[in-house]
Amino acid sequence: MPKITFDKATRAKLAGALSDYMRTELDLEVKGFDAEFLLDFISETLGPHYYNQGLQDAQELFRTKFEAVLEAVYEIEQPVKGL
């Protein structure tokens, strides 16, 4: 899995949201670099789990859609009469 990276603007928004959450829900002040380090930790620790779950969800979706396509192809098969 490639390393999870964000552009500068997205990284700032995520760190800000994390900082707001920590202050609002846990009454903790986590700002600036500390919020970014926490974001890095969460991304590196939890990110792969979410990534893998996303892949599993995509595989199931493809499997379901592919089975529907196979069924549709089977339904349009024409009977073959003996020669």
Side-chain angles (χ1 to χ4, degrees):
M1 178 182 112
K3 183 177 179 182
I4 298 171
T5 58
F6 303 106
D7 61 61
K8 194 172 186 176
T10 301
R11 186 172 173 79
K13 287 179 186 176
L14 291 172
L18 188 54
S19 180
D20 291 344
Y21 177 82
M22 298 293 284
R23 184 182 61 254
T24 303
E25 298 297 324
L26 303 174
D27 198 28
L28 292 172
E29 288 295 326
V30 179
K31 296 181 179 180
F33 287 120
D34 289 339
E36 290 187 22
F37 290 139
L38 184 56
L39 177 62
D40 289 340
F41 171 78
I42 291 170
S43 296
E44 292 169 8
T45 305
L46 302 180
H49 295 281
Y50 287 105
Y51 181 86
N52 291 341
Q53 183 63 52
L55 290 177
Q56 289 173 6
D57 292 347
Q59 287 174 346
E60 182 58 32
L61 176 66
F62 282 121
R63 186 178 301 108
T64 301
K65 297 296 183 181
F66 187 67
E67 287 173 1
V69 169
L70 289 176
E71 188 174 313
V73 169
Y74 177 76
E75 288 175 0
I76 63 172
E77 264 188 22
Q78 298 294 312
V80 177
K81 294 181 181 179
L83 296 176

